Amino acid sequence: MGKVEIKNEINKALDEVPEEVLAQVLDLLKQYSSTKDSSFSLLGGLDKLLSEDKELLRKLAQ
């Protein structure tokens, strides 16, 4: 899958999440893009974010 296709799939997924989650994802991406620390893990941060908000996401989905 190429970069354009990945971006399209990300956009589709983002269309389905609540605004609060979008704001958190944006903060995470900004943090990732501004860091020079190679030990920073985008996926680890995203996993943490999603696990912390799992119950909130479940309630919002209902």
Side-chain angles (χ1 to χ4, degrees):
M1 187 178 297
K3 187 174 184 175
V4 172
E5 294 162 326
I6 292 170
K7 285 183 176 186
N8 287 336
E9 290 299 315
I10 290 171
N11 283 328
K12 287 179 191 176
L14 291 175
D15 286 340
E16 303 298 322
V17 298
E19 186 175 340
E20 296 84 15
V21 176
L22 288 175
Q24 292 175 352
V25 170
L26 177 59
D27 290 341
L28 180 67
L29 291 171
K30 285 180 179 179
Q31 179 183 359
Y32 179 75
S33 66
S34 68
T35 186
K36 301 296 183 214
D37 184 2
S38 63
S39 68
F40 181 82
S41 170
L42 179 60
L43 292 180
L46 185 57
D47 286 342
K48 180 180 176 187
L49 175 78
L50 292 176
S51 67
E52 289 174 353
D53 291 333
K54 189 176 193 176
E55 188 60 32
L56 174 64
L57 290 171
R58 185 184 342 268
K59 288 178 182 177
L60 290 170
Q62 293 175 349

